[in-house]
Amino acid sequence: ICQKIQDAVDISDVFNKVAIHAGKTSPKTLVYAVHRIARYCRLRRQDIGPTRRAARFLLLLESLQRNLAHLDAQALTDLSWSLAVLNHRDNKILAGLCHQLFARVEEFSPANLAISAWSFATLNYRDDLVMKRLNRQALGRLQDFEAQSLANLSWAEATMRFKDDV
């Protein structure tokens, strides 16, 4: 199904591929579809308003919100990035993403930590407990961070005016 979504020619085609395979798609595949939609909007500089308001998009997000616990760290990161690119600030799904990140921060790679922080900052969504836990995880693994990930994490913390007491 992911290959069919990847081969989709536009956003409507992504929605159609998901609809055709409704009931047979895993939550991770649904994240892939949202990520693909975000990439289409970003690369083709499409107006994101109609996509964010589309009933099919909102149904896709509702399904994902119910299944966040079944996603791995990469899928959670991809979903948060996609929401940021689409400028879709849904407090319910963002709270769910934060809950998963807080509970499973050790599973996140340095890049996942940085992209998640960047996504929350881009959406102007702040959860200090999650940021503190993310920040402390990052501090313990600084040697594993690439320069871009450090820059993204620093930008996110500066944008949110986040300060940790460590």
Side-chain angles (χ1 to χ4, degrees):
I1 298 172
C2 285
Q3 185 61 51
K4 291 178 182 182
I5 291 169
Q6 183 173 338
D7 294 341
V9 295
D10 59 19
I11 292 169
S12 182
D13 198 19
V14 171
F15 285 133
N16 290 337
K17 305 284 188 214
V18 170
I20 288 168
H21 299 286
K24 297 179 254 174
T25 53
S26 70
K28 194 170 183 175
T29 301
L30 296 179
V31 169
Y32 186 76
V34 173
H35 191 267
R36 197 76 185 155
I37 289 165
R39 285 188 48 133
Y40 274 127
C41 286
R42 183 173 174 220
L43 294 174
R44 296 178 182 172
R45 302 188 192 285
Q46 283 185 247
D47 179 14
I48 57 177
T51 299
R52 289 184 6 215
R53 291 187 300 272
R56 294 188 292 181
F57 181 70
L58 298 175
L59 288 172
L60 194 56
L61 290 182
E62 283 178 25
S63 178
L64 283 169
Q65 204 277 321
R66 289 189 306 268
N67 289 287
L68 291 174
H70 301 290
L71 298 174
D72 62 17
Q74 185 61 54
L76 291 166
T77 302
D78 289 346
L79 180 56
S80 65
W81 179 88
S82 300
L83 293 173
V85 167
L86 294 168
N87 195 28
H88 188 81
R89 191 175 193 274
D90 178 327
N91 288 341
K92 191 172 181 181
I93 199 164
L94 290 170
L97 284 166
C98 281
H99 176 77
Q100 292 301 316
L101 190 137
F102 186 86
R104 299 164 39 197
V105 72
E106 295 84 10
E107 298 172 26
F108 282 67
S109 71
N112 292 151
L113 293 171
I115 292 167
S116 295
W118 175 88
S119 300
F120 297 138
T122 298
L123 290 168
N124 196 27
Y125 186 84
R126 183 171 169 157
D127 182 320
D128 283 350
L129 290 175
V130 169
M131 285 306 296
K132 187 176 283 197
R133 186 151 167 117
L134 184 152
N135 192 50
R136 292 183 184 194
Q137 181 71 16
L139 286 172
R141 297 165 59 190
L142 278 179
Q143 71 279 3
D144 299 330
F145 274 76
E146 293 182 13
Q148 185 63 55
S149 292
L150 277 176
N152 287 348
L153 182 58
S154 298
W155 178 87
E157 290 184 2
T159 298
M160 287 192 264
R161 294 194 163 113
F162 175 76
K163 294 179 184 169
D164 199 344
D165 56 359
V166 282

